[in-house]
Amino acid sequence: MSATEKAKAKAAQIGGKIKKEAGRLVGNESATAEGSARESKGHLRAAKEKAKDAFKH
């Protein structure tokens, strides 16, 4: 996985987790759901890059 893609995936995961927890803290279900979605997107992006690396080797 390239360093830039890895950083983007990790940023999405962390940003999503922060938004999810902030939404949970204030009771905003919309923000919680959006944060969960962003975090999941980061996990999927990381998995995609790992799969690409597996096929390269």
Side-chain angles (χ1 to χ4, degrees):
M1 176 179 334
S2 76
T4 353
E5 289 301 316
K6 185 175 182 179
K8 286 179 184 178
K10 190 54 100 172
Q13 291 170 7
I14 292 170
K17 188 172 208 76
I18 290 169
K19 186 164 191 156
K20 179 176 73 174
E21 293 304 321
R24 203 175 278 172
L25 255 158
V26 297
N28 186 335
E29 290 181 26
S30 176
T32 303
E34 189 177 320
S36 287
R38 189 183 299 178
E39 186 177 9
S40 294
K41 185 178 176 183
H43 287 296
L44 287 173
R45 182 179 232 166
K48 178 187 82 167
E49 289 302 315
K50 285 180 184 177
K52 282 175 32 181
D53 284 347
F55 285 109
K56 285 182 182 177
H57 298 279

